[in-house]
Amino acid sequence: SELKRVLEREYVSFFDPMRREYYAPDVSFVDPMTTLSGVDQYQNNVDMLASRTLLGKFLFEDAGIVLHSIEGGELNDDDGTVVSDIVTRWTLRLTAKVLPWSPTARFSGVSEYKVAPAPPSSPVGVRIVGQTDYWDSINIVPESGGRFGPVDASRAVGDFLGQLAPGGFEAAAAAPELPYSLLRRGDGYEVRKYPAYSGVKLPYNRRDEGFGSLGAFTKGMNPLAPALMEVESSDTSDKYMTWPLSFAPPGADSSSSALPPAPSDAVEKAGEGQWRTVRVVRVAETVVAVREFNDASMEPVVRKADRELRECLRRDGLVPAGGGEQVKFAQYDAIFSMGKRRGEVWIDLEEGGHPW
């Protein structure tokens, strides 16, 4: 419908301009922190987040919203009116520049738009009469298969303020990070979409030796973080380490035939001489669930984080791929570095086992 196309354009532009004719004068807006009524208050709230008001210029910068999907809004074949409400799925970010350390807060969730026929005097056929937002981090009802429900506003305030707290001294990053699209910032985990990438992979016994070998192999190739480790349940199975080297640009074809090539130096060296155990790998675009941990990546720490992530996924109705025999974890900081570490466990999600 035309209303869906209008919403798509508004998300891309962060409601600049906002098509006010598609909103009822008394439109309502409810999210976990805010309740508003009237199109003027609605627009003022959006403009504040986008730093287009005086208060917004003081508080925020770099606001943006990514639309992941838009559904509903089916039309009546007889008169062309919308007969179902519209649901969008999105990720929002904004930076609190009012704080000296300029933290960035991120929210993901859904918006449910209540729509109704506009009066005959209106230039549009249907318009939005109400919008209700739910956040993935606090509004998913446990054990409901991913259904959303209301929560007390204090939880929303705590969720927001928790993202603004200073992070402290962090360990130095080993390399620039492989980019991704944040699909969900959930309760205890994230869901991300990673682009197709090429990398190098080798078996290892000790992680420091694996870092040393891949560091020497990729000298001059500008490898990316994180280093990804795969460990089977059996103690006698090989462990593998992968370093990404190149990735597909945004909007690239996600089919296996369009996977990005590895650097020519890597292709020439892999499998030869002292690098006989190193091989070039190409990984397709992936939707992955992630849980962070900050302790050293010892086996009990990693396996505990993996179990906790699997429980989060079960609670929120997301389906892991595979049978759970393998544990995959990521390390972002340079080995032996000082400061707060950043480690993560990763679980690929089953195609069709998630809403993205």
Side-chain angles (χ1 to χ4, degrees), residues 239-300:
K239 297 180 287 187
Y240 292 93
M241 179 182 295
T242 301
W243 285 15
L245 294 176
S246 61
F247 58 90
D253 183 356
S254 60
S255 66
S256 58
S257 61
L259 293 176
S264 57
D265 287 354
V267 175
E268 292 171 4
K269 292 165 57 177
E272 302 293 330
Q274 64 174 316
W275 310 119
R276 63 187 180 279
T277 61
V278 177
R279 60 189 179 95
V280 173
V281 294
R282 302 169 77 198
V283 181
E285 181 180 88
T286 309
V287 174
V288 58
V290 173
R291 181 175 174 89
E292 184 173 341
F293 60 88
N294 301 121
D295 295 323
S297 301
M298 306 297 289
E299 181 176 1

Side-chain angles (χ1 to χ4, degrees), residues 55-276:
L55 179 60
K57 292 179 187 296
F58 175 71
L59 294 176
F60 303 123
E61 65 181 359
D62 193 33
I65 189 166
V66 176
L67 177 65
H68 302 304
S69 64
I70 181 167
E71 299 175 344
E74 284 76 16
L75 298 178
N76 186 315
D77 291 336
D78 295 330
D79 57 13
T81 58
V82 175
V83 296
S84 68
D85 295 335
I86 295 173
V87 178
T88 61
R89 192 174 291 275
W90 43 263
T91 299
L92 168 72
R93 72 167 194 284
L94 71 164
T95 298
K97 72 174 185 179
V98 68
L99 298 174
W101 54 95
S102 297
T104 295
R106 294 177 175 84
F107 304 90
S108 66
V110 299
S111 294
E112 297 179 353
Y113 292 91
K114 185 72 175 177
V115 298
S121 59
S122 173
V124 301
V126 293
R127 61 188 184 184
I128 296 166
V129 297
Q131 176 183 340
T132 303
D133 285 3
Y134 298 103
W135 297 353
D136 290 328
S137 53
I138 60 175
N139 286 117
I140 298 177
V141 179
E143 319 294 339
S144 70
R147 181 172 57 84
F148 292 90
V151 297
D152 189 85
S154 61
R155 287 193 60 190
V157 173
D159 186 57
F160 181 40
L161 295 180
Q163 296 190 70
L164 303 184
F169 173 60
E170 298 182 353
E177 187 173 343
L178 181 68
Y180 62 85
S181 175
L182 178 63
L183 302 177
R184 169 175 288 177
R185 178 183 160 268
D187 181 7
Y189 68 101
E190 291 183 355
V191 177
R192 305 170 183 165
K193 181 168 68 175
Y194 279 93
Y197 68 88
S198 294
V200 286
K201 183 175 185 176
L202 90 164
Y204 72 94
N205 290 314
R206 291 172 41 129
R207 228 172 336 123
D208 57 344
E209 294 175 349
F211 270 88
S213 295
L214 286 184
F217 179 89
T218 60
K219 186 176 182 180
M221 298 183 194
N222 300 316
L224 301 166
L228 288 167
M229 279 62 69
E230 301 169 41
V231 181
E232 303 291 337
S233 297
S234 170
D235 292 336
T236 60
S237 299
D238 285 334
K239 297 180 287 187
Y240 292 93
M241 179 182 295
T242 301
W243 285 15
L245 294 176
S246 61
F247 58 90
D253 183 356
S254 60
S255 66
S256 58
S257 61
L259 293 176
S264 57
D265 287 354
V267 175
E268 292 171 4
K269 292 165 57 177
E272 302 293 330
Q274 64 174 316
W275 310 119
R276 63 187 180 279

